Amino acid sequence: MSTDAPAPRGDLVPAASLIPADAPFPKAAKVALGMPQLRANLAHATGTIRAKRAKVAGELDDWERLRDTAAAVKADVQRRLPELAVQFEANATAAGAVVHWARDAAEANAIAARLVREAGADEVVKVKSMATQEIELNEHFEAEGLKAFETDLAELIVQLAEDKPSHILVPAIHYNRTEIRDIFDRRMGDAPAGLTDDPAALAEAARLHLRRRFLSAKAAVSGANFAVAETGSLVVVESEGNGRMCLTMPETLISIVGIEKLLPSFADLEVFMQLLPRSSTGERMNPYTSVWTGVREGDGPQNVHVILLDNGRTGVLADEVGRQALSCIRCSACLNVCPVYERTGGHAYGHVYPGPIGAILAPQLEPGRHDDLPYASSLCGACYEVCPVKINIPEVLVHLRQQGPHAAGERAAMGAAEAVMARPRLWRTALRAARFGAMPWRRKGYMRRLPWPGSKWTVSRNLPVPPKESFRDWWKERDR
Amino acid sequence: MKRVALFITCVNDALFPETPKAVVRILERLGYDVDFPTAQTCCGQMHANSGYRRDAATLARAFDDVFGGYDAIVTPSGSCAAMARDQYPHLTGSAIGQRVHELSEFLIDVAGVEDVGAVFPHTVTYHPTCHGTRALGLGDKPLRLLRAVGGIDLIDLPAADQCCGFGGTFALKNSEVSSAMLADKCANAAGTGAEYLAAADNSCLTHIGGGTSRSGGPRPIHYAEILASTA
Ligand code: SF4
């Protein structure tokens, strides 16, 4: 164990603090684009995982049918959500769990904090969970004088760095191993002396650090990947086994589960357990799958609580096109293939759900905020192509754009364009005028610098000059 | 004689007459009677994808009026064909998109030809545009047509399936991200050493060519112009 005092905190700058979280996406993205190390880390990590996913998804000849089935199961869940939630409650309760209902983040946090206190604890170990990130449970606990310790390796890195996750599955994707070594060395307190950036050494340091926490924790907080209505079971899918430690060692287990995580039957897991590991880590099978149903006497936690979380989800459910976002199983395949995410990372999105899924989920979960996110996409469709539950992300992006507010200037320009395009004679006149107006540039072949808003184009690209003779002229000539 | 309508698209109408001319030459060479309804303007894609649903619906209805009488409508744009096929049903309930064929779909699926008798003795790299490939499902159809061209030397484009960063108004609204995507596409294109970069959409080619004309790299060309070439 290191005897050196941790280095001063000032010299570690969390990436999220550099990117203005409340700035509109284009602004935040610009900052991220200017961080070469961040971009290199992201390009490397997403590129690797993308190739792995493509390989293992390609191995299954019924991949497309699995996707169709998963999409159908999720659509069915969305149609029967109230019924399934009540069924889950009844079965989980019968098995000895206590089920709580939370309308929003504040309710969920308050319930969780109360349960921790009732367990006689002032700290909890945590299983990696997006729902608890969404409700900012750690921050809430801290404000209440409780401590929440992340035990997922990547979440631990982010927590030690006092940073924010930048990826759903790999929250520390924006760090390379040298940076992780520095974070451990300076922030972990019990990091071994002379820690190198060898992945095995880093993992070992984290293991020792976490082991002490597991052994002393009275309570754990988790999310769940799936909640099975038919049996009242919860399922956590993970790679490291740290989640399993949290799920089995403490006396009290509190799981915060978005209501969209429900599945009708245990048999449905067969479909999702094929899709999820392949889509997320690019593995055929994940190392640890934990399933628990209420309490088993003398085995594992004896106080089992489930907090079913709405936090905007029923609002999303009301939108027939947008609701498919609730099918998401948080595999993060869409992030890894997204050319925008790959270049900006997650912090620029200003929401815990970044990337393509964030761009359709954040504005729906928090209506009126994040109106810029549906535009953070070139609509290239790579996300839809890989999504294991076939969420048509481009369709929802366009749908949300059609609901959202528009700037007055843009509205006027689009209206004018439509007015011309809807009148063939006017359209032809406009084209003729453009060809005439372009005369001064014709010799150069390109326009290199235009005034705003054209400057947004010419900042990096030339614009071709309209031709001397249009297709229409040619056609007319030849018709004679 | 078999009759088809040509939808040239607003981008080609304004900027690229050579592409629709090429389509006319190819189709006539194959024995089709090509009609150009002059009242055509725009499919409404820019409006729809930018969130202006009402304007898009007006243009979609106008498209129906202009092309409603044809059994086959051929267009040299994957994204415009995808617009008609995927979005019109939601916008106006029109099924006309079923009769709108991107050029390579028409040549391979309807006309049943892969070798259109073209000769193009140049090095070419091919960028599969996103809407054509993913939304429309063109697969390698344009590439199959290019492979059959006499004298052509096709060079693989690294990371070909990556978006060039155009995305319509995305290029303006998220100019920096778009430019970063473009820079990578241009570098990959330049790295092939090809004389030409071919694609199925002149809007994407405007973007890529707008970049390579500054940073260096292959000249943009719509693949229809290669297919029309005979020497
Ligand atoms: S939207 Fe689809 S691809 Fe993206 S995280 Fe969710 S399930 Fe995975």
Side-chain angles (χ1 to χ4, degrees), chain A residues 25-26 29-30 33 39 50 337 339-340 342-344 375-382 385 395 398 401-402 406-407 410-411 414-415 417-418 421-422 424 427-428 431 446 448 453 456-467 469-472 474-475 478, chain B residues 6 8 10 13-17 20-21 24-25 28 34 36 38-42 46-53 55 58-59 87 90 130-131 134 162-163 166-167 169-182 184 206-207 209-211 213-214:
Chain A
F25 182 80
K30 191 176 174 179
L33 286 167
R39 285 188 61 185
R50 194 187 294 170
V337 297
V340 177
E342 178 193 329
R343 288 171 179 81
T344 65
Y375 295 93
S377 165
S378 66
L379 304 178
C380 82
E385 197 172 57
E395 178 186 60
V398 168
R401 290 178 185 186
Q402 291 175 353
H406 298 297
E410 185 191 279
R411 165 73 272 182
M414 286 286 178
E418 184 270 341
M421 285 168 160
W427 168 244
R428 290 197 293 270
L431 291 183
Y446 278 108
R448 290 171 182 275
K456 296 238 167 213
W457 178 272
T458 52
V459 63
S460 64
R461 326 123 174 123
N462 295 326
L463 191 68
V465 178
E469 186 198 58
S470 72
F471 174 81
R472 290 171 188 271
W474 177 80
W475 181 264
R478 149 182 209 280
Chain B
L6 172 64
I8 65 173
C10 63
D13 209 350
L15 293 172
F16 304 107
K21 283 187 208 169
V24 172
R25 289 189 184 114
E28 289 184 348
V34 181
F36 173 69
T38 56
Q40 62 179 274
T41 62
C42 167
M46 175 181 72
H47 286 94
N49 288 349
S50 306
Y52 295 86
R53 189 188 162 91
D55 298 323
T58 308
L59 295 171
Q87 297 207 45
H90 306 295
C130 301
H131 278 110
R134 299 206 181 92
Q162 284 265 311
C163 177
F166 174 57
T169 44
F170 172 77
L172 306 177
K173 279 184 195 276
N174 278 286
S175 177
E176 278 87 9
V177 185
S178 165
S179 299
M181 290 160 71
L182 176 64
D184 290 345
T206 305
H207 192 238
S213 66
R214 282 190 191 179

Side-chain angles (χ1 to χ4, degrees), chain A residues 50-293:
Chain A
R50 194 187 294 170
K52 277 175 77 180
R53 188 216 71 90
K55 183 165 165 278
V56 294
E59 283 173 358
L60 294 187
D61 51 16
D62 61 348
W63 184 253
E64 289 308 315
R65 281 174 51 209
L66 282 168
R67 292 177 75 210
D68 286 333
T69 310
V73 170
K74 285 291 192 176
D76 175 48
V77 167
Q78 284 151 28
R79 273 190 295 271
R80 300 195 288 129
L81 200 53
E83 166 198 333
L84 292 171
V86 170
Q87 192 191 358
F88 174 86
E89 179 188 34
N91 290 325
T93 308
V98 183
V99 177
H100 311 259
W101 299 80
R103 201 181 322 239
D104 53 25
E107 279 190 18
N109 284 323
I111 296 168
R114 174 171 58 77
L115 293 172
V116 172
R117 289 231 168 74
E118 283 173 11
D122 58 5
E123 55 182 57
V124 298
V125 284
K126 276 187 72 195
V127 184
K128 175 168 171 26
S129 136
M130 288 310 297
T132 60
Q133 291 285 0
E134 177 188 326
I135 63 174
E136 301 187 322
L137 176 120
N138 295 5
E139 290 81 352
H140 180 84
F141 270 25
E142 198 170 328
E144 294 244 337
L146 302 172
K147 279 203 189 85
F149 295 112
E150 297 289 350
T151 68
D152 172 83
L153 181 55
E155 290 284 7
L156 172 69
I157 295 164
V158 169
Q159 191 176 38
L160 289 173
E162 293 173 10
D163 201 354
K164 288 199 166 136
S166 65
H167 188 275
I168 292 176
L169 185 80
V170 201
I173 196 167
H174 55 293
Y175 289 124
N176 64 19
R177 44 197 175 97
T178 314
E179 292 166 308
I180 294 168
R181 193 210 77 93
D182 291 348
I183 293 166
F184 279 10
D185 193 44
R186 291 175 204 182
R187 296 285 173 80
M188 211 151 68
D190 54 357
L195 180 64
T196 67
D197 67 357
D198 172 38
L202 294 172
E204 185 58 22
R207 187 173 294 127
L208 291 171
H209 173 76
L210 289 170
R211 186 93 357 159
R212 280 184 277 276
R213 297 230 185 281
F214 292 136
L215 291 172
S216 61
K218 286 194 194 141
V221 171
S222 85
N225 292 92
F226 307 103
V228 182
E230 174 191 58
T231 59
S233 314
L234 294 181
V235 184
V236 160
V237 177
E238 51 149 350
S239 297
E240 297 168 356
N242 293 339
R244 169 81 50 90
M245 299 288 272
C246 300
L247 297 170
T248 50
M249 307 225 2
E251 270 297 294
T252 297
L253 173 59
I254 304 157
S255 303
I256 301 172
V257 184
I259 47 174
E260 84 283 14
K261 298 280 160 191
L262 285 159
L263 288 180
S265 73
F266 208 81
D268 295 321
L269 286 172
E270 183 255 344
V271 177
F272 292 92
M273 291 308 298
Q274 293 190 67
L275 290 168
L276 180 53
R278 284 186 158 85
S279 300
S280 57
T281 50
E283 294 168 305
R284 297 188 184 100
M285 202 181 158
N286 53 294
Y288 294 88
T289 302
S290 302
V291 185
W292 69 102
T293 311

Side-chain angles (χ1 to χ4, degrees), chain A residues 316-348:
Chain A
V316 183
L317 200 58
D319 184 324
E320 273 181 47
V321 180
R323 73 162 67 126
Q324 50 185 313
L326 294 179
S327 299
C328 176
I329 56 174
R330 311 280 189 262
C331 73
S332 70
C334 59
L335 278 62
N336 298 329
V337 297
C338 178
V340 177
Y341 176 88
E342 178 193 329
R343 288 171 179 81
T344 65
H347 295 143

